[in-house]
Amino acid sequence: MITYEIGGKLYLNVTNRCNNRCLFCVRDQADGVGFDLWLEQEPSVREIIEAVGDAQGYTEAVFCGYGEPLLRLPEVLETARHLKRLGKTVRVNTNGLAQLVWDRQVAEELAEVVDEVSISLNAADAQAYTKLCQPEAGPKAYDALLEFARDCVRHIPKVTLTVVDLIPSREIEACAAIAREMGAGFKVRSYQDDQE
């Protein structure tokens, strides 16, 4: 399933690959998010655009599925350009590790076609993040995430850092302070409904 709907928004599932192995990931739950998002193969841009169609009835499209969408940055950018031509607001839900993957700053590229970025912070320091999210890149992933978030705040109209409500309240408060310090929004996501 390439596209699906939650809360009146069109979601795009472009990969099942992820460079984190978060302990709370919905991929590991029996019912996931209520849709079969396991892809037999990664869709081409043409296949994604065909699945989107004219996106009639949707004002917002969200890159978010069972994988990290920015592992497919070129495809996300090209599809987002199409969505903007259709007059849609575009959001990317990401783990924030794109700069490690592509070895360059990508926020300016995203800013050309993306209106909002939601970044999974989930911890207030590298040690806690590494334990909870198990990034392939190890402890250096956390600083890369923060750098990406700061770049996004500089270039993209709306940036939100998020945490899952499984972490202790003092950790949530520390994450909220990080968001405030960099000028980003902040949201606590419910583990029971961890998709938006």
Side-chain angles (χ1 to χ4, degrees):
M1 183 177 281
I2 299 171
T3 62
Y4 59 107
E5 180 185 333
I6 294 180
K9 298 175 182 124
L10 181 65
Y11 281 72
L12 288 79
N13 178 39
V14 299
T15 185
N16 288 157
R17 292 181 292 134
C18 190
N19 45 357
N20 276 358
R21 292 290 174 265
C22 299
L23 298 179
F24 55 84
C25 186
V26 295
R27 294 160 31 126
D28 301 324
Q29 309 308 313
D31 57 354
V33 293
F35 300 95
D36 181 6
L37 299 182
W38 293 110
L39 299 166
E40 290 182 19
Q41 62 184 26
E42 291 185 339
S44 66
V45 171
R46 182 178 178 178
E47 289 170 325
I48 300 167
I49 288 173
E50 284 176 1
V52 166
D54 63 6
Q56 185 95 22
Y58 300 103
T59 57
E60 183 177 358
V62 184
F63 288 91
C64 176
Y66 267 4
E68 167 50 47
L70 296 184
L71 290 176
R72 301 196 70 204
L73 178 64
E75 291 82 1
V76 166
L77 292 172
E78 191 170 343
T79 305
R81 273 190 283 276
H82 172 74
L83 289 161
K84 294 307 290 180
R85 284 193 294 270
L86 294 176
K88 308 304 175 187
T89 298
V90 177
R91 173 167 45 116
V92 175
N93 289 2
T94 178
N95 62 20
L97 303 181
Q99 293 180 174
L100 283 177
V101 175
W102 298 100
D103 197 29
R104 67 179 191 270
Q105 294 182 328
V106 300
E108 282 189 76
E109 295 171 66
L110 290 170
E112 294 175 10
V113 289
V114 170
D115 303 285
E116 181 177 352
V117 177
S118 178
I119 304 167
S120 299
L121 179 61
N122 292 322
D125 60 61
Q127 183 178 358
Y129 181 83
T130 303
K131 183 177 179 181
L132 182 65
C133 297
Q134 303 182 80
E136 289 176 1
K140 72 178 182 178
Y142 189 74
D143 285 341
L145 183 163
L146 294 178
E147 181 184 354
F148 173 77
R150 289 186 187 101
D151 285 347
C152 285
V153 167
R154 281 193 285 272
H155 298 289
I156 295 171
K158 186 173 182 184
V159 178
T160 305
L161 300 185
T162 71
V163 297
V164 171
D165 62 3
L166 291 176
I167 65 175
S169 59
R170 67 183 181 281
E171 190 88 354
I172 291 173
E173 290 164 13
C175 290
I178 290 170
R180 280 194 304 274
E181 179 270 326
M182 70 172 65
F186 183 71
K187 180 180 177 181
V188 179
R189 304 189 321 272
S190 167
Y191 175 66
Q192 297 301 320
D193 186 29
D194 187 29
Q195 184 63 15
E196 280 194 42

